[in-house]
């Protein structure tokens, strides 16, 4: 799979549109879902996902298969784009994002899909990123550390705090 | 801290970080976590709590909505690729090398390049200096001003 993807990326570098379409079909859905969980906004997430796919088309020669999987590289780009958007004036600031996980809103009566998505959005950005990458995107702690430019220990700490906050949220919600 | 305490603490950290599902644990530490779980009621309770949270997390319903085929087509048809500087430089050098190797004006180009390199080197290496050590000395006196 990895060598297969490396070959596809090499073909994309040569301008092969079919190889590019193949890679987009494999990776676009995961990147879009990741961005949506981090940003909490469907349209911004679509912009980020398309932006990442544009980088794959224009700058695929920057991908180093010996250093990481393609999906790790793409998620790292998506992560940086999401951080840029979260830091933009007018969007939720990092100071806001680093506040402790809030109490459940009154509109969430029962735990469910909407409830968990709302709870995720209320986690501090770094905790949410670590949890989403590990739990939903199935990256290893080492890969999450690479994406977040952090250490494995720091990622484990973020995950513990994220799950701890979600447990509190769940207990209060029920 | 004793190795047993350390192992117990590590199992607890991984359960709290990664949840109750065995497949989520690192391969290298899975067996150690299972051993600790078998011996600790505290860890068993913790695993049950984490399992509840995992079930809740599994209810998330976020899905992708973009059409991958359309996105790929739109991007590849409307945007030019931008290879890195070293790749572009390599391509330019290859073209220059091809021209020099197979062009009919190879000899004049080779001669002018050689001449240019020679002039450049000469300019860098040669330092003009004036040596007056063997020169005759003259003195001039203005006559008739007294």
């Amino acid at each position: 799979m990895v060598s297969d993807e490396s070959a596809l990326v090499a073909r994309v570098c040569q301008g092969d549109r079919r190889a590019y379409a193949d890679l987009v079909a494999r990776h676009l859905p995961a990147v879009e879902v990741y961005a949506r969980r981090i940003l909490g906004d469907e349209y911004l997430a679509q912009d980020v996902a398309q932006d990442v796919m544009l980088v794959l088309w224009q700058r695929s020669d920057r991908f180093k298969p010996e250093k990481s999987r393609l999906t790790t590289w793409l998620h790292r780009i998506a992560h940086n784009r999401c951080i840029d958007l979260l830091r933009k004036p007018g969007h939720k600031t990092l100071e806001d994002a680093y506040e402790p996980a809030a109490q459940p809103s009154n509109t969430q009566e029962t735990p469910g899909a909407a409830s968990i998505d709302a709870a995720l959005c209320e986690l501090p950005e770094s905790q949410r990123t670590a949890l989403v990458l590990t739990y939903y995107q199935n990256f290893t702690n080492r890969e999450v550390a690479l994406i977040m430019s952090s250490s494995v220990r720091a990622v484990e700490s973020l995950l513990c705090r994220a799950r701890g906050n979600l447990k509190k949220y769940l207990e209060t919600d029920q | 801290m004793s190795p047993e305490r350390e192992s117990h603490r590590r199992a607890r950290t991984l359960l709290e970080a990664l949840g109750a599902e065995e497949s989520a644990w690192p391969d290298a530490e899975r067996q150690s976590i299972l051993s600790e779980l078998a011996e600790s009621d505290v860890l068993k309770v913790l695993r049950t709590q984490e399992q509840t949270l995992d079930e809740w997390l599994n209810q998330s319903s976020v899905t992708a909505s973009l059409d991958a085929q359309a996105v790929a087509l739109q991007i590849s048809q409307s945007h030019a690729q931008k290879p890195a500087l070293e790749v572009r430089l390599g391509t330019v050098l290859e073209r220059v090398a091809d021209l020099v190797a197979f062009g009919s004006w190879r000899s004049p180009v080779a001669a002018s390049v050689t001449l240019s390199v020679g002039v450049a080197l000469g300019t860098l290496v040669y330092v003009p200096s004036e040596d007056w050590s063997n020169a005759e000395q003259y003195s001039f006196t203005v006559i008739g001003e007294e």
Side-chain angles (χ1 to χ4, degrees):
Chain A
M1 180 73 171
V2 173
S3 59
D4 169 41
E5 290 211 324
S6 299
L8 284 174
V9 172
R11 282 169 53 194
V12 171
C13 289
Q14 304 298 320
D16 187 329
R17 290 195 168 97
R18 190 171 292 180
Y20 176 66
D22 194 350
L23 288 176
V24 171
R26 290 186 195 187
H27 295 284
L28 179 69
V31 171
E32 186 190 347
V33 166
Y34 165 73
R36 193 164 167 193
R37 283 201 169 102
I38 298 303
L39 297 169
D41 183 297
E42 181 183 358
Y43 300 109
L44 280 178
Q46 288 180 351
D47 287 348
V48 167
Q50 291 182 78
D51 206 13
V52 173
M53 293 304 126
L54 180 60
V55 173
L56 175 63
W57 173 246
Q58 292 188 320
R59 308 278 187 182
S60 50
D61 55 306
R62 290 185 180 179
F63 167 62
K64 306 293 176 210
E66 68 277 8
K67 287 188 178 173
S68 70
R69 294 191 291 153
L70 180 62
T71 185
T72 312
W73 184 64
L74 294 174
H75 275 80
R76 186 175 163 83
I77 298 166
H79 169 68
N80 290 335
R81 293 286 191 280
C82 288
I83 296 291
D84 287 346
L85 285 172
L86 289 172
R87 285 180 184 175
K88 258 189 177 177
H91 201 279
K92 195 177 176 183
T93 64
L94 279 182
E95 286 76 20
D96 294 336
Y98 273 103
E99 283 175 2
Q103 296 301 309
S105 62
N106 294 331
T107 54
Q108 312 297 331
E109 295 298 332
T110 55
S115 178
I116 180 59
D117 292 332
L120 281 173
C121 281
E122 290 187 39
L123 285 176
E125 173 271 321
S126 55
Q127 291 179 24
R128 183 165 70 248
T129 302
L131 185 80
V132 168
L133 287 171
T134 307
Y135 197 84
Y136 294 111
Q137 310 299 110
N138 295 316
F139 285 106
T140 64
N141 289 2
R142 191 180 295 272
E143 288 171 321
V144 175
L146 188 65
I147 291 167
M148 296 181 73
S149 301
S150 185
S151 67
V152 173
R153 291 286 166 161
V155 167
E156 285 176 2
S157 172
L158 284 171
L159 286 170
C160 287
R161 280 185 279 152
R163 291 180 66 96
N165 281 332
L166 286 178
K167 271 190 272 187
K168 283 181 207 162
Y169 189 102
L170 180 59
E171 284 162 12
T172 319
D173 209 24
Q174 284 176 331
Chain B
M1 191 181 286
S2 70
E4 293 79 24
R5 284 300 299 163
E6 176 61 24
S7 176
H8 180 89
R9 193 195 59 80
R10 182 68 186 150
R12 183 185 180 93
T13 300
L14 288 173
L15 277 172
E16 286 177 340
L18 303 172
E21 188 59 45
E22 277 182 43
S23 60
W25 304 338
D27 294 337
E29 296 180 274
R30 188 172 296 124
Q31 199 51 53
S32 169
I33 299 170
L34 288 171
S35 304
E36 288 295 330
L37 268 168
E39 293 172 9
S40 168
D41 290 337
V42 174
L43 289 182
K44 281 176 190 153
V45 171
L46 179 64
R47 189 180 191 185
T48 308
Q49 291 170 350
E50 298 299 334
Q51 204 157 18
T52 308
L53 180 60
D54 285 345
E55 285 163 10
W56 192 46
L57 283 168
N58 285 336
Q59 293 177 22
S60 176
S61 60
V62 175
T63 53
S65 55
L66 284 171
D67 180 344
Q69 202 174 0
V71 169
L73 196 65
Q74 191 268 329
I75 289 175
S76 63
Q77 285 187 343
S78 57
H79 295 274
Q81 289 185 300
K82 293 180 182 174
L85 181 63
E86 59 265 26
V87 175
R88 278 182 282 170
L89 199 60
T91 310
V92 169
L93 286 174
E94 273 177 21
R95 283 183 188 167
V96 169
D98 286 347
L99 282 172
V100 170
F102 303 111
S104 60
W105 40 278
R106 181 177 56 181
S107 301
V109 167
S112 59
V113 167
T114 309
L115 183 63
S116 303
V117 170
V119 168
L121 279 174
T123 308
L124 290 172
V125 172
Y126 176 69
V127 181
S129 62
E130 292 181 339
D131 183 7
W132 294 93
S133 59
N134 296 319
E136 291 182 38
Q137 294 187 3
Y138 298 92
S139 62
F140 298 94
T141 307
V142 179
I143 303 169
E145 284 198 347
E146 293 177 14

